[in-house]
Amino acid sequence: MENDDRGREKIFSNGDAYLGDFKGRIPHGKGKYMWSNGTVYEGDWEEGKMTGKGKILWPSQATYDGDFSGGYLQGFGTLVGSDGSTYKGSWKMNSQHGIGRKQYPNSDVYDGCWREGIREGSGRYEWNNGNIYIGNWKLGGMSGRGVMKWFNGDLFDGYWSYGLRHGSGFYRFADGSYYFGTWTKGLKDGPGTFYTAGSKHLSKHILGVQDDKRKKQLSHNFSTDSEASVMPSVKRSLSKILSSFRRGSGRFSLTATSLDDECAHSESTGVMPRDGQTDFEDNRTVAYEREYMQGVLIKERVRSIPKQSSKSKQRLKFGKEERRSFVDIFERNSSHYLMLSLQLGIRYTVGKITPVPMREVRSSDFGKQARIRMYFPRKGSKLTPPHNSVDFYWKDYCPMVFRDMLRAYENCYIEAARMPWNLRELFKLNAAEYMMSICGDDGLRMNCSPGKSGSLFYLSHDDRFVFKTLNKSELKVRFVVMGNMFCTELRIHRRYDLKGSSQGRFTNKDKIDDSTTLKDLDLTYEFDMDKSLHEALFRQLSVDSEFLESQRIIDYSLLLGLHFRAPEHLKSLLEPSDSLPKPDTSDDGVISQGELLIPPSGLLLVTHEPDSVSTAPGPHIRGNTLKAYSIGNKEADLLLPGTGRLRVQLGVNMPAQANRKVVQADTDSSEIELFEVYDVVLYLGIIDILQDYNIRKKVEHTCKSMKFDPLSISVVEPKIYSKRFISFLQKIFPVQP
């Protein structure tokens, strides 16, 4: 048995020295270690490693006082940097990890979550000029849902991406006016509504009118990495952050008023109220419906909104509370159980099938004998973990033939049928990415706009995958998992679902918002494309429609997404981009706005350069890069000055000019034709390819034909459907001379 020596000093051959307790020949207990480079540690040791409480001083005069484990800074401690910064909070493997507070040399302060040394999760950042941000962070930047309040009284509540407003939200100006809309990389982009400043009563009215819309836009969830083992002093400093989180729910709840209690705020961007806009009738609210493209105001419509009486407000409030108490709670729980069951089933299947090596498909891989069935009791079993969903069965069809893309769920039963097993490889999706996207901690979120058929839509947390329910009964729900066409680098300003039919194919204008998918009769544009791109597109559309016709499939449609580029002649109206507030101020104390970002002069096709475009796997893997006639039939990239360079693929990043005739009511000359012309980027693909022309559809066709033109209704014989579909698309994508 080795003897423990206390208070002994030892000098090592490399010049290091140790004074303290030993266990045998290694430091153990209390001791002080001095490295030859001047670093000094004094504290607890265990089996030759710094473990327990201690303090370390580096030659740079930086110090750390706190917990150690296995030679690492781990636990809780305080680091004072050589630059004067101070961090007090949780550590893991020498990195700030968990919850902590850091004061920077310029007196900025961050309270919140850290991950491997960078700000990640939820937190509060206060700049030395009084600006405050409370919300989510990613890779050190403001990303996700958050509220920013500036010292001049402006406030933004919405979504961010690496320090820039990006997504839906609302901006409240210091004078009390509001703008509800969407942003892209710091610039207004898409439709929105501006409300003029008014009385306190008016502000309440505006928030009441926009309550449902804002909840719909800002319904994303946040997950936190908060740790319970935080010292009381840090707990007190973070109490305002942590009070914004529901314990155990992982959901983040912030409102403008919660920030009003503790913040003071900075710069303003956006269109300020015009002179006289604050004057309005006592019984009406003035609103401006606007549309922006990359920060340029394109359209504006003025409308007046009558104020609600106190009785109508009480009825509306009571009605909302009643629905929330019964219907909403039931539907929310059902949707939550469906999401959990789906994630559990996919985890099980992917984990079970992925290790199986690739091989040729055998006859034994088909039929009932090839099915896998698993029961998921809520309390768990020997093969399944406990969970918070309902008890359910998961059935996997032909696992060696198919891989996890198509699923079906029943309240007590889940079935899975799937796409050919090499599809994920063709789309360059590996099992780990697939599982993290669908089954990660952030989970799925439900789209608030169900389809006409009653289908429900879910999105993965990174927007890469869409889940659509196909049919629903008392005990069964089937659904399909698809790549999200609109998970794109550019914002989609318009969405169209095009079938080629006309009966009922329009959208009520009162129900249109920025997330509405429009229909055939809503489309007023024609699209002029590069000759080679046009040929490639219609060659594939013809092949696809012929195949669907041969399988007697109908009801499919072309999903078309449009990204509009701001017209060049309006560039002088562009607003400045926003970013992380900077402490630099001009002589008069006003924050410098920087240079204006000028929108590109148009879309430019250039020769493809593989090293200049992103080839990261995603939902848009459509084969090879397309060739463009305008550059000598060479593979093409789409260059958007000031935005980026994108690879042109079939149905992805396809440039075009959208034009439509402008009706001139005040002209007497019939020879004058005026057109609106926009540069657009197209994203498109055929969807809904699972409906066959069965007996039910034949009966539907017969019944509707008695009331409407048989060729105008959606349900027609597959050959007619295919021909009408292609003919309609040829009209909106005309061949260029």
Side-chain angles (χ1 to χ4, degrees):
M1 184 174 180
E2 295 182 342
N3 296 324
D4 293 343
D5 295 330
R6 298 184 179 275
R8 188 158 60 93
E9 182 177 5
K10 183 177 181 180
I11 299 177
F12 298 91
S13 59
N14 61 358
D16 294 354
Y18 174 76
L19 176 63
D21 301 336
F22 284 85
K23 183 178 182 181
R25 297 181 178 180
I26 58 176
H28 185 85
K30 299 283 187 180
K32 181 178 182 180
Y33 196 104
M34 295 160 284
W35 282 266
S36 59
N37 65 359
T39 303
V40 178
Y41 169 79
E42 185 172 4
D44 297 333
W45 292 81
E46 186 175 312
E47 303 290 344
K49 294 183 179 180
M50 299 178 293
T51 301
K53 299 288 185 181
K55 183 175 182 179
I56 189 169
L57 171 67
W58 287 277
S60 64
Q61 300 306 306
T63 62
Y64 171 80
D65 188 355
D67 298 332
F68 291 80
S69 179
Y72 295 98
L73 281 62
Q74 182 144 333
F76 185 88
T78 301
L79 175 71
V80 179
S82 58
D83 59 357
S85 63
T86 302
Y87 172 81
K88 188 174 186 178
S90 298
W91 293 81
K92 183 178 181 181
M93 301 289 287
N94 289 345
S95 295
Q96 300 147 339
H97 191 93
I99 294 181
R101 172 187 174 92
K102 182 172 183 177
Q103 181 169 339
Y104 294 86
N106 63 352
S107 298
D108 290 357
V109 177
Y110 173 77
D111 280 306
C113 299
W114 297 77
R115 184 180 180 88
E116 297 179 357
I118 60 177
R119 299 184 293 268
E120 181 120 1
S122 302
R124 177 183 186 272
Y125 196 104
E126 181 172 359
W127 283 263
N128 59 14
N129 61 0
N131 303 333
I132 295 179
Y133 171 82
I134 298 179
N136 216 42
W137 296 76
K138 186 176 182 180
L139 299 177
M142 302 184 296
S143 290
R145 173 75 186 282
V147 179
M148 181 80 185
K149 195 172 184 182
W150 290 272
F151 67 78
N152 72 339
D154 289 358
L155 179 144
F156 175 76
D157 183 350
Y159 286 95
W160 300 76
S161 179
Y162 302 106
L164 298 174
R165 289 176 288 223
H166 190 85
S168 58
F170 76 85
Y171 197 105
R172 188 191 72 192
F173 296 94
D175 67 350
S177 56
Y178 285 82
Y179 178 79
F180 292 81
T182 56
W183 282 257
T184 299
K185 295 182 179 179
L187 297 174
K188 294 187 182 76
D189 198 12
T193 304
F194 178 80
Y195 294 91
T196 55
S199 64
K200 185 176 181 180
H201 176 73
L202 173 62
S203 298
K204 291 182 178 179
H205 168 76
I206 291 173
L207 292 176
V209 170
Q210 290 292 332
D211 183 57
D212 290 338
K213 182 176 181 180
R214 188 162 68 91
K215 286 180 180 178
K216 175 182 174 182
Q217 291 177 331
L218 309 176
S219 60
H220 294 54
N221 293 342
F222 277 75
S223 61
T224 71
D225 296 324
S226 56
E227 299 179 3
S229 56
V230 183
M231 294 295 285
S233 60
V234 174
K235 283 186 176 178
R236 284 194 294 270
S237 68
L238 297 176
S239 61
K240 293 183 180 179
I241 298 175
L242 299 179
S243 64
S244 299
F245 294 84
R246 301 177 185 175
R247 293 194 176 274
S249 68
R251 295 188 177 184
F252 181 46
S253 176
L254 265 181
T255 62
T257 52
S258 67
L259 198 58
D260 283 336
D261 296 336
E262 61 170 336
C263 299
H265 27 257
S266 134
E267 70 181 16
S268 65
T269 60
V271 178
M272 294 300 293
R274 302 172 181 172
D275 294 338
Q277 280 189 355
T278 56
D279 297 329
F280 51 87
E281 301 175 16
D282 292 337
N283 61 340
R284 305 190 75 81
T285 298
V286 177
Y288 296 80
E289 293 183 347
R290 294 173 173 174
E291 183 167 0
Y292 289 85
M293 293 180 188
Q294 297 90 57
V296 175
L297 179 62
I298 302 297
K299 297 178 182 178
E300 182 179 80
R301 182 170 73 94
V302 182
R303 64 185 177 94
S304 297
I305 306 172
K307 292 184 178 179
Q308 297 172 329
S309 66
S310 58
K311 291 184 178 180
S312 63
K313 288 182 179 179
Q314 291 176 358
R315 289 196 300 267
L316 180 61
K317 181 178 180 181
F318 178 78
K320 284 185 177 180
E321 291 177 350
E322 187 176 44
R323 288 196 303 272
R324 188 175 298 115
S325 299
F326 301 101
V327 179
D328 288 352
I329 292 176
F330 175 77
E331 291 182 351
R332 189 182 304 118
N333 288 341
S334 298
S335 174
H336 182 64
Y337 292 150
L338 172 61
M339 182 191 74
L340 290 179
S341 301
L342 168 65
Q343 291 178 310
L344 286 166
I346 288 180
R347 281 197 191 108
Y348 173 78
T349 302
V350 175
K352 186 177 181 64
I353 303 305
T354 298
V356 178
M358 297 284 290
R359 61 169 175 79
E360 293 293 329
V361 177
R362 305 166 184 166
S363 58
S364 59
D365 294 328
F366 296 88
K368 294 183 178 180
Q369 72 277 8
R371 297 178 184 176
I372 296 178
R373 178 173 168 175
M374 179 55 62
Y375 177 57
F376 284 81
R378 186 165 185 169
K379 295 182 179 180
S381 66
K382 294 182 179 180
L383 300 176
T384 62
H387 57 85
N388 295 322
S389 183
V390 296
D391 296 348
F392 67 93
Y393 288 91
W394 177 268
K395 185 183 289 185
D396 193 350
Y397 290 93
C398 306
M400 299 308 298
V401 182
F402 300 94
R403 285 281 181 169
D404 308 274
M405 298 298 273
L406 180 61
R407 301 287 183 206
Y409 170 82
E410 301 176 32
N411 193 10
C412 300
Y413 210 88
I414 291 186
E415 299 174 333
R418 294 171 295 189
M419 291 184 172
W421 81 324
N422 63 342
L423 253 182
R424 283 214 315 265
E425 291 207 355
L426 292 176
F427 280 77
K428 298 182 180 180
L429 297 175
N430 61 48
E433 289 179 343
Y434 183 65
M435 288 184 66
M436 286 302 296
S437 179
I438 296 175
C439 307
D441 293 337
D442 293 326
L444 307 174
R445 67 180 188 273
M446 185 176 177
N447 190 320
C448 299
S449 301
K452 183 178 179 181
S453 62
S455 297
L456 301 177
F457 292 86
Y458 295 84
L459 283 172
S460 59
H461 75 91
D462 56 5
D463 291 336
R464 293 179 67 183
F465 298 100
V466 179
F467 295 68
K468 177 185 177 182
T469 61
L470 301 180
N471 58 60
K472 179 168 64 174
S473 65
E474 225 173 279
L475 293 176
K476 179 182 289 189
V477 176
R478 296 182 181 276
F479 51 88
V480 62
V481 184
M482 305 170 288
N484 182 10
M485 278 181 49
F486 296 152
C487 179
T488 63
E489 296 89 344
L490 305 176
R491 178 171 297 281
I492 303 299
H493 297 110
R494 294 284 190 279
R495 299 167 175 82
Y496 293 91
D497 183 278
L498 307 174
K499 294 180 180 289
S501 58
S502 57
Q503 181 58 45
R505 298 293 294 169
F506 63 90
T507 308
N508 189 331
K509 292 185 178 180
D510 295 333
K511 297 182 180 180
I512 295 178
D513 59 26
D514 57 334
S515 63
T516 302
T517 300
L518 305 173
K519 300 178 182 178
D520 303 62
L521 299 182
D522 301 318
L523 181 61
T524 57
Y525 293 102
E526 290 184 357
F527 302 97
D528 298 331
M529 301 178 64
D530 177 274
K531 182 178 178 180
S532 296
L533 298 183
H534 184 277
E535 291 175 356
L537 175 62
F538 273 86
R539 184 164 53 247
Q540 188 62 50
L541 287 173
S542 298
V543 170
D544 290 344
S545 61
E546 288 174 6
F547 171 76
L548 294 172
E549 177 187 336
S550 68
Q551 302 300 308
R552 298 192 62 76
I553 299 296
I554 63 169
D555 272 354
Y556 51 89
S557 57
L558 184 80
L559 185 61
L560 173 65
L562 306 180
H563 169 81
F564 287 85
R565 302 302 295 177
E568 173 67 8
H569 68 280
L570 296 179
K571 66 182 182 182
S572 61
L573 303 179
L574 182 64
E575 298 171 9
S577 173
D578 63 349
S579 59
L580 277 171
K582 298 178 176 56
D584 299 331
T585 59
S586 58
D587 294 338
D588 57 0
V590 179
I591 287 184
S592 174
Q593 297 287 347
E595 296 182 357
L596 295 180
L597 297 179
I598 304 303
S601 58
L603 304 177
L604 183 63
L605 284 171
V606 296
T607 304
H608 174 59
E609 293 182 3
D611 296 336
S612 301
V613 295
S614 174
T615 58
H620 302 310
I621 306 298
R622 304 284 184 87
N624 297 326
T625 305
L626 293 184
K627 297 179 179 180
Y629 179 81
S630 59
I631 58 172
N633 276 327
K634 297 178 181 179
E635 291 186 340
D637 291 341
L638 177 61
L639 185 63
L640 296 88
T643 300
R645 183 173 181 146
L646 307 173
R647 186 161 66 113
V648 179
Q649 295 174 273
L650 194 60
V652 179
N653 301 326
M654 299 187 75
Q657 276 197 339
N659 60 81
R660 65 179 174 186
K661 186 178 295 187
V662 179
V663 178
Q664 295 291 315
D666 56 349
T667 181
D668 297 330
S669 175
S670 59
E671 297 179 358
I672 299 178
E673 287 189 342
L674 298 178
F675 290 84
E676 283 183 357
V677 180
Y678 295 100
D679 288 328
V680 295
V681 183
L682 307 178
Y683 296 87
L684 51 90
I686 296 178
I687 61 170
D688 296 341
I689 58 173
L690 300 178
Q691 179 60 59
D692 60 331
Y693 192 57
N694 52 26
I695 295 296
R696 183 175 63 85
K697 287 295 180 180
K698 291 178 180 179
V699 172
E700 182 181 345
H701 171 76
T702 302
C703 294
K704 288 186 176 181
S705 296
M706 298 173 65
K707 187 176 181 180
F708 306 107
D709 179 0
L711 296 180
S712 68
I713 61 178
S714 178
V715 182
V716 294
E717 193 268 338
K719 185 174 183 179
I720 298 176
Y721 193 99
S722 173
K723 182 178 180 181
R724 183 183 64 184
F725 179 70
I726 294 296
S727 297
F728 175 76
L729 296 181
Q730 288 173 339
K731 292 179 182 178
I732 63 174
F733 295 99
V735 178
Q736 295 302 300

